[in-house]
Amino acid sequence: MRLISHPVLCNYYVTYRCNAKCHFCDIWEKPSPYITLEQAEENFKDLKKLGVRVIDFTGGEPLLHQELHLLLALAKKYGFITTVTSNGLLYPKRAKQLKGLIDMLHFSLDSYDAQKHDKGRGVKCYDKVMESIDIALVLGEKPDILFTVMDDNVEEIDKVYRNITFQKNLVLILNPLFSYGDIGGGLSTSTMDTLEKWTKKKRVFLNDALINLRKDGGNKIEDPICKAASSCIVISPKNELILPCYHLGKQAFPIENNLKELYQSKKIQEIIQNEGRLPECEGCAINCYMQPSFSVEINKYFWQSLPSTFKYNLWKGTWKQLL
Protein backbone atom coordinates (compact mmCIF):
# COMPACT_ATOMS: atom_id res chain seq x y z
CA MET A 1 0.00 0.00 0.00
CA ARG A 2 1.39 3.37 -1.05
CA LEU A 3 1.78 5.67 1.95
CA ILE A 4 3.31 8.72 0.24
CA SER A 5 2.55 9.51 -3.41
CA HIS A 6 5.12 12.24 -3.98
CA PRO A 7 8.95 12.44 -4.01
CA VAL A 8 10.46 12.96 -0.55
CA LEU A 9 14.15 13.38 -1.39
CA CYS A 10 16.21 15.26 -3.96
CA ASN A 11 19.73 14.07 -4.71
CA TYR A 12 21.16 17.32 -6.02
CA TYR A 13 24.56 16.79 -7.63
CA VAL A 14 26.21 20.19 -7.26
CA THR A 15 29.22 18.88 -9.24
CA TYR A 16 30.65 15.53 -10.27
CA ARG A 17 34.17 16.79 -9.57
CA CYS A 18 35.99 15.29 -6.61
CA ASN A 19 39.33 15.75 -4.90
CA ALA A 20 39.50 12.07 -3.91
CA LYS A 21 39.72 8.89 -5.98
CA CYS A 22 37.79 6.27 -4.06
CA HIS A 23 38.20 2.80 -5.54
CA PHE A 24 34.50 1.96 -5.09
CA CYS A 25 33.28 5.03 -7.00
CA ASP A 26 33.77 6.34 -10.54
CA ILE A 27 32.15 9.76 -10.26
CA TRP A 28 35.50 11.51 -9.83
CA GLU A 29 36.43 10.45 -13.38
CA LYS A 30 33.65 12.56 -14.92
CA PRO A 31 34.15 16.10 -16.27
CA SER A 32 31.60 18.39 -14.71
CA PRO A 33 30.26 21.93 -14.42
CA TYR A 34 28.83 23.38 -11.19
CA ILE A 35 25.18 24.14 -10.59
CA THR A 36 24.25 27.83 -10.51
CA LEU A 37 22.36 29.67 -7.80
CA GLU A 38 19.77 30.86 -10.29
CA GLN A 39 18.99 27.36 -11.56
CA ALA A 40 18.96 25.97 -8.03
CA GLU A 41 16.46 28.53 -6.73
CA GLU A 42 14.05 27.86 -9.57
CA ASN A 43 14.34 24.14 -8.86
CA PHE A 44 13.88 24.66 -5.12
CA LYS A 45 10.55 26.36 -5.80
CA ASP A 46 9.35 23.40 -7.83
CA LEU A 47 10.78 20.80 -5.45
CA LYS A 48 8.76 22.45 -2.69
CA LYS A 49 5.60 22.25 -4.82
CA LEU A 50 6.28 18.58 -5.57
CA GLY A 51 6.47 17.74 -1.86
CA VAL A 52 10.21 17.12 -1.43
CA ARG A 53 11.35 17.47 2.20
CA VAL A 54 15.08 16.66 2.07
CA ILE A 55 17.81 17.85 -0.30
CA ASP A 56 21.07 15.93 -0.31
CA PHE A 57 23.72 18.23 -1.75
CA THR A 58 26.04 15.65 -3.19
CA GLY A 59 28.79 15.04 -5.72
CA GLY A 60 31.65 14.45 -6.26
CA GLU A 61 32.84 16.46 -3.33
CA PRO A 62 30.14 19.08 -2.65
CA LEU A 63 32.54 21.41 -0.83
CA LEU A 64 34.33 22.00 -4.13
CA HIS A 65 31.35 24.21 -5.04
CA GLN A 66 32.44 27.70 -4.01
CA GLU A 67 28.85 28.80 -3.41
CA LEU A 68 27.71 25.75 -1.46
CA HIS A 69 26.96 27.92 1.58
CA LEU A 70 24.67 30.10 -0.53
CA LEU A 71 22.91 27.05 -1.97
CA LEU A 72 22.37 25.67 1.52
CA ALA A 73 21.09 29.01 2.81
CA LEU A 74 18.58 29.13 -0.07
CA ALA A 75 17.45 25.59 0.66
CA LYS A 76 16.93 26.45 4.32
CA LYS A 77 14.96 29.54 3.25
CA TYR A 78 12.55 27.25 1.40
CA GLY A 79 12.24 24.99 4.42
CA PHE A 80 14.20 21.94 3.27
CA ILE A 81 16.16 19.58 5.49
CA THR A 82 19.72 19.64 4.17
CA THR A 83 22.38 16.96 4.10
CA VAL A 84 26.01 17.00 2.95
CA THR A 85 28.64 14.25 2.92
CA SER A 86 32.30 15.29 2.69
CA ASN A 87 35.72 13.65 2.66
CA GLY A 88 36.84 16.40 5.04
CA LEU A 89 39.61 17.88 2.90
CA LEU A 90 37.97 21.29 2.54
CA TYR A 91 35.78 21.43 5.63
CA PRO A 92 38.33 23.07 7.97
CA LYS A 93 38.60 26.01 5.53
CA ARG A 94 34.85 26.36 5.05
CA ALA A 95 33.45 25.30 8.41
CA LYS A 96 32.48 28.77 9.67
CA GLN A 97 30.89 29.58 6.32
CA LEU A 98 28.73 26.45 6.52
CA LYS A 99 27.82 26.70 10.19
CA GLY A 100 24.14 26.11 10.91
CA LEU A 101 23.23 25.35 7.30
CA ILE A 102 23.56 21.55 7.27
CA ASP A 103 21.06 19.44 9.22
CA MET A 104 22.84 16.16 8.51
CA LEU A 105 26.59 16.62 8.13
CA HIS A 106 28.49 13.42 7.34
CA PHE A 107 32.25 12.88 7.21
CA SER A 108 33.41 9.78 5.35
CA LEU A 109 35.74 7.52 7.34
CA ASP A 110 36.31 3.86 6.48
CA SER A 111 39.02 2.77 8.90
CA TYR A 112 40.61 3.64 12.23
CA ASP A 113 43.97 3.18 10.51
CA ALA A 114 44.98 6.36 8.65
CA GLN A 115 47.03 4.59 6.00
CA LYS A 116 44.25 2.12 5.22
CA HIS A 117 41.62 4.85 4.99
CA ASP A 118 43.77 7.06 2.77
CA LYS A 119 44.61 4.16 0.45
CA GLY A 120 40.92 3.42 -0.09
CA ARG A 121 40.16 7.09 -0.75
CA GLY A 122 43.12 7.56 -3.08
CA VAL A 123 44.26 10.69 -1.23
CA LYS A 124 45.49 11.61 2.25
CA CYS A 125 42.38 12.79 4.05
CA TYR A 126 42.26 10.89 7.38
CA ASP A 127 43.85 13.72 9.34
CA LYS A 128 41.47 16.22 7.74
CA VAL A 129 38.50 14.11 8.81
CA MET A 130 39.78 14.13 12.40
CA GLU A 131 40.33 17.88 12.23
CA SER A 132 36.91 18.40 10.67
CA ILE A 133 35.17 16.50 13.47
CA ASP A 134 36.79 18.64 16.15
CA ILE A 135 36.07 21.91 14.33
CA ALA A 136 32.44 20.96 13.72
CA LEU A 137 31.94 20.11 17.40
CA VAL A 138 33.47 23.41 18.52
CA LEU A 139 31.06 25.22 16.18
CA GLY A 140 28.09 23.41 17.74
CA GLU A 141 27.43 21.15 14.77
CA LYS A 142 26.39 17.50 15.13
CA PRO A 143 28.49 15.62 12.57
CA ASP A 144 28.13 11.93 11.78
CA ILE A 145 30.70 9.44 10.59
CA LEU A 146 29.70 7.64 7.39
CA PHE A 147 31.54 4.32 7.29
CA THR A 148 31.40 2.45 3.97
CA VAL A 149 31.50 -1.21 4.98
CA MET A 150 33.50 -3.65 2.85
CA ASP A 151 34.75 -7.17 3.44
CA ASP A 152 38.27 -5.91 4.10
CA ASN A 153 37.35 -3.23 6.65
CA VAL A 154 34.38 -4.66 8.57
CA GLU A 155 36.62 -5.46 11.55
CA GLU A 156 37.55 -1.75 11.72
CA ILE A 157 34.02 -0.74 12.72
CA ASP A 158 34.61 -1.54 16.39
CA LYS A 159 37.79 0.56 16.52
CA VAL A 160 36.09 3.58 14.92
CA TYR A 161 33.10 3.16 17.22
CA ARG A 162 35.04 2.76 20.48
CA ASN A 163 37.80 5.30 19.80
CA ILE A 164 36.04 7.99 17.78
CA THR A 165 32.26 8.08 17.51
CA PHE A 166 31.28 6.76 20.95
CA GLN A 167 33.87 8.90 22.71
CA LYS A 168 32.80 12.06 20.88
CA ASN A 169 29.06 11.24 21.09
CA LEU A 170 28.69 11.07 17.30
CA VAL A 171 26.38 8.90 15.24
CA LEU A 172 28.14 6.14 13.31
CA ILE A 173 26.33 5.48 10.02
CA LEU A 174 27.17 2.09 8.55
CA ASN A 175 26.87 2.18 4.77
CA PRO A 176 27.13 -1.31 3.23
CA LEU A 177 29.11 -1.32 -0.02
CA PHE A 178 26.94 -1.83 -3.10
CA SER A 179 27.67 -2.49 -6.74
CA TYR A 180 26.54 -0.76 -9.92
CA GLY A 181 27.88 -1.68 -13.32
CA ASP A 182 31.50 -2.68 -12.80
CA ILE A 183 31.93 -0.43 -9.75
CA GLY A 184 31.79 -1.31 -6.05
CA GLY A 185 30.93 -4.83 -5.02
CA GLY A 186 28.95 -7.07 -2.74
CA LEU A 187 29.47 -8.31 0.79
CA SER A 188 30.23 -11.79 2.05
CA THR A 189 27.87 -13.69 4.32
CA SER A 190 30.28 -13.27 7.24
CA THR A 191 30.37 -9.49 6.73
CA MET A 192 26.56 -9.38 6.65
CA ASP A 193 26.44 -11.43 9.85
CA THR A 194 28.86 -9.00 11.52
CA LEU A 195 26.82 -6.02 10.35
CA GLU A 196 23.63 -7.44 11.83
CA LYS A 197 25.19 -7.34 15.27
CA TRP A 198 25.61 -3.57 14.97
CA THR A 199 21.99 -2.69 14.26
CA LYS A 200 21.02 -2.29 17.93
CA LYS A 201 24.19 -0.56 19.16
CA LYS A 202 23.86 2.82 20.83
CA ARG A 203 24.29 5.74 18.39
CA VAL A 204 24.81 3.46 15.41
CA PHE A 205 22.57 3.88 12.37
CA LEU A 206 22.17 0.81 10.22
CA ASN A 207 18.79 0.23 8.64
CA ASP A 208 17.55 -3.30 9.36
CA ALA A 209 15.62 -3.24 6.10
CA LEU A 210 18.83 -2.81 4.08
CA ILE A 211 20.27 -5.95 5.65
CA ASN A 212 17.09 -7.95 5.12
CA LEU A 213 16.70 -6.77 1.52
CA ARG A 214 20.18 -8.07 0.75
CA LYS A 215 19.40 -11.38 2.42
CA ASP A 216 16.32 -11.57 0.21
CA GLY A 217 18.47 -11.08 -2.90
CA GLY A 218 17.83 -7.38 -3.47
CA ASN A 219 15.20 -5.81 -5.70
CA LYS A 220 13.06 -8.18 -7.79
CA ILE A 221 11.91 -6.81 -11.12
CA GLU A 222 8.71 -8.88 -11.08
CA ASP A 223 7.68 -7.28 -7.76
CA PRO A 224 9.99 -4.29 -7.22
CA ILE A 225 10.78 -2.82 -3.84
CA CYS A 226 12.67 0.04 -5.49
CA LYS A 227 10.70 3.28 -5.74
CA ALA A 228 13.73 5.38 -6.66
CA ALA A 229 12.16 7.33 -9.48
CA SER A 230 8.97 8.23 -7.61
CA SER A 231 10.42 8.82 -4.13
CA CYS A 232 13.56 10.65 -5.22
CA ILE A 233 14.36 13.37 -7.75
CA VAL A 234 17.90 13.37 -9.16
CA ILE A 235 19.30 16.58 -10.64
CA SER A 236 22.67 16.70 -12.41
CA PRO A 237 25.25 19.53 -12.43
CA LYS A 238 24.09 20.25 -15.99
CA ASN A 239 20.62 21.03 -14.62
CA GLU A 240 19.10 17.83 -15.95
CA LEU A 241 16.53 15.49 -14.48
CA ILE A 242 18.20 12.05 -14.37
CA LEU A 243 16.07 8.91 -14.60
CA PRO A 244 15.46 6.33 -13.29
CA CYS A 245 18.25 7.03 -10.78
CA TYR A 246 21.81 8.38 -10.83
CA HIS A 247 23.49 4.98 -10.89
CA LEU A 248 21.60 3.78 -13.94
CA GLY A 249 21.29 7.27 -15.41
CA LYS A 250 19.75 5.99 -18.61
CA GLN A 251 18.01 9.24 -19.54
CA ALA A 252 18.68 12.93 -18.87
CA PHE A 253 16.08 15.63 -19.48
CA PRO A 254 17.10 19.33 -19.56
CA ILE A 255 15.36 21.42 -16.91
CA GLU A 256 14.40 24.79 -18.35
CA ASN A 257 12.87 26.46 -15.30
CA ASN A 258 10.13 23.84 -15.55
CA LEU A 259 11.04 21.05 -13.12
CA LYS A 260 7.51 20.55 -11.77
CA GLU A 261 5.96 20.55 -15.24
CA LEU A 262 8.69 18.25 -16.56
CA TYR A 263 8.43 15.81 -13.65
CA GLN A 264 4.64 15.60 -13.99
CA SER A 265 4.74 15.24 -17.79
CA LYS A 266 3.46 12.09 -19.44
CA LYS A 267 6.90 10.99 -20.71
CA ILE A 268 8.47 11.21 -17.23
CA GLN A 269 5.55 9.53 -15.50
CA GLU A 270 5.74 6.64 -17.95
CA ILE A 271 9.39 6.13 -17.01
CA ILE A 272 8.54 6.34 -13.32
CA GLN A 273 5.88 3.65 -13.69
CA ASN A 274 8.65 1.29 -14.81
CA GLU A 275 10.85 1.94 -11.75
CA GLY A 276 12.57 -1.12 -10.40
CA ARG A 277 11.52 -3.19 -13.41
CA LEU A 278 14.46 -2.68 -15.75
CA PRO A 279 16.78 -5.67 -16.29
CA GLU A 280 19.58 -3.81 -14.47
CA CYS A 281 17.31 -3.38 -11.43
CA GLU A 282 17.33 -7.11 -10.65
CA GLY A 283 19.19 -7.69 -7.38
CA CYS A 284 19.86 -3.98 -6.83
CA ALA A 285 20.39 -2.91 -3.21
CA ILE A 286 21.75 0.63 -3.57
CA ASN A 287 21.36 2.17 -0.12
CA CYS A 288 20.70 5.77 -1.17
CA TYR A 289 17.66 4.75 -3.22
CA MET A 290 16.34 1.92 -1.08
CA GLN A 291 16.21 4.13 2.02
CA PRO A 292 13.62 6.55 0.52
CA SER A 293 11.88 3.60 -1.17
CA PHE A 294 11.24 2.03 2.24
CA SER A 295 9.52 5.21 3.45
CA VAL A 296 6.81 5.60 0.83
CA GLU A 297 5.12 2.18 0.68
CA ILE A 298 3.85 0.02 3.51
CA ASN A 299 5.43 -3.42 3.31
CA LYS A 300 7.70 -5.51 5.50
CA TYR A 301 10.69 -3.30 4.69
CA PHE A 302 8.77 -0.21 5.77
CA TRP A 303 8.24 -1.70 9.24
CA GLN A 304 11.83 -2.97 9.44
CA SER A 305 13.13 0.47 8.45
CA LEU A 306 10.91 2.50 10.77
CA PRO A 307 12.71 2.11 14.15
CA SER A 308 16.20 3.03 12.91
CA THR A 309 14.93 5.86 10.71
CA PHE A 310 12.90 7.39 13.53
CA LYS A 311 15.78 6.96 15.97
CA TYR A 312 18.23 8.73 13.63
CA ASN A 313 15.90 11.66 12.96
CA LEU A 314 15.27 11.94 16.69
CA TRP A 315 19.03 12.19 17.25
CA LYS A 316 19.34 14.85 14.56
CA GLY A 317 16.27 16.82 15.64
CA THR A 318 14.67 16.58 12.19
CA TRP A 319 11.73 14.26 12.88
CA LYS A 320 9.21 17.07 13.34
CA GLN A 321 10.08 18.48 9.92
CA LEU A 322 9.38 15.10 8.34
CA LEU A 323 5.89 14.75 9.82
Side-chain angles (χ1 to χ4, degrees):
M1 185 175 70
R2 189 79 182 204
L3 180 66
I4 300 173
S5 59
H6 59 80
V8 295
L9 169 69
C10 174
N11 284 339
Y12 211 136
Y13 285 82
V14 299
T15 184
Y16 291 148
R17 298 184 187 189
C18 193
N19 48 5
K21 297 181 179 180
C22 305
H23 68 85
F24 49 81
C25 175
D26 66 347
I27 197 167
W28 53 271
E29 299 175 349
K30 299 182 178 183
S32 174
Y34 294 92
I35 65 170
T36 70
L37 285 173
E38 294 75 21
Q39 291 169 339
E41 182 158 23
E42 289 301 315
N43 290 337
F44 291 165
K45 293 174 184 176
D46 281 349
L47 288 170
K48 192 74 175 177
K49 293 173 185 175
L50 289 167
V52 168
R53 301 286 188 88
V54 181
I55 300 182
D56 179 18
F57 291 90
T58 187
E61 169 55 48
L63 270 66
L64 283 171
H65 198 300
Q66 292 299 309
E67 295 182 315
L68 180 62
H69 60 298
L70 300 179
L71 291 166
L72 288 162
L74 267 177
K76 298 296 287 181
K77 171 187 169 184
Y78 283 97
F80 294 108
I81 295 171
T82 58
T83 176
V84 170
T85 301
S86 174
N87 57 35
L89 283 169
L90 294 174
Y91 185 79
K93 281 186 178 179
R94 304 195 61 186
K96 291 182 179 178
Q97 197 181 51
L98 298 170
K99 179 184 176 182
L101 298 175
I102 306 172
D103 295 302
M104 302 177 192
L105 172 62
H106 311 318
F107 295 124
S108 297
L109 182 67
D110 307 325
S111 175
Y112 185 61
D113 180 85
Q115 187 175 2
K116 189 171 182 178
H117 172 76
D118 292 347
K119 182 180 179 181
R121 293 283 166 175
V123 64
K124 290 186 177 181
C125 54
Y126 182 93
D127 291 343
K128 286 293 183 182
V129 173
M130 296 297 106
E131 183 184 356
S132 294
I133 292 169
D134 291 338
I135 291 172
L137 290 173
V138 168
L139 291 175
E141 305 284 63
K142 296 191 291 183
D144 306 325
I145 292 300
L146 182 68
F147 188 109
T148 298
V149 182
M150 297 165 270
D151 286 341
D152 65 355
N153 73 347
V154 65
E155 298 304 325
E156 292 284 311
I157 296 173
D158 186 60
K159 296 175 186 176
V160 170
Y161 178 69
R162 285 188 294 106
N163 298 303
I164 300 175
T165 61
F166 191 79
Q167 284 192 10
K168 294 180 181 289
N169 203 30
L170 309 179
V171 175
L172 175 61
I173 301 173
L174 297 179
N175 180 47
L177 181 70
F178 56 81
S179 61
Y180 63 101
D182 298 326
I183 306 300
L187 298 175
S188 67
T189 301
S190 62
T191 295
M192 295 296 292
D193 290 342
T194 300
L195 271 178
E196 259 197 304
K197 298 174 183 177
W198 284 95
T199 57
K200 301 298 186 292
K201 286 277 190 177
K202 184 178 180 181
R203 298 191 72 79
V204 172
F205 176 76
L206 175 59
N207 195 324
D208 286 309
L210 287 175
I211 299 298
N212 289 313
L213 177 65
R214 292 199 178 208
K215 285 186 171 182
D216 293 342
N219 181 71
K220 305 296 183 184
I221 59 176
E222 71 276 7
D223 185 20
I225 292 300
C226 178
K227 304 297 177 187
S230 61
S231 67
C232 183
I233 290 176
V234 180
I235 302 177
S236 80
K238 296 179 181 179
N239 201 35
E240 301 164 321
L241 179 63
I242 305 296
L243 287 166
C245 66
Y246 165 77
H247 292 86
L248 286 184
K250 283 185 168 293
Q251 298 186 67
F253 299 88
I255 301 170
E256 298 169 346
N257 294 333
N258 67 338
L259 176 59
K260 181 173 181 286
E261 179 185 348
L262 176 63
Y263 182 80
Q264 294 179 335
S265 66
K266 183 179 179 181
K267 63 183 177 182
I268 298 301
Q269 290 303 308
E270 286 176 350
I271 296 171
I272 289 173
Q273 288 173 15
N274 204 34
E275 64 187 350
R277 299 182 186 276
L278 300 172
E280 300 91 330
C281 300
E282 181 67 27
C284 178
I286 297 176
N287 312 324
C288 45
Y289 292 106
M290 293 305 169
Q291 182 74 36
S293 295
F294 298 150
S295 69
V296 298
E297 189 167 74
I298 296 180
N299 52 36
K300 70 174 184 178
Y301 298 110
F302 170 83
W303 295 112
Q304 292 166 2
S305 176
L306 194 60
S308 59
T309 302
F310 180 79
K311 182 171 66 173
Y312 178 75
N313 283 284
L314 189 64
W315 287 334
K316 306 306 291 184
T318 53
W319 66 274
K320 289 183 179 179
Q321 294 168 266
L322 292 170
L323 296 178

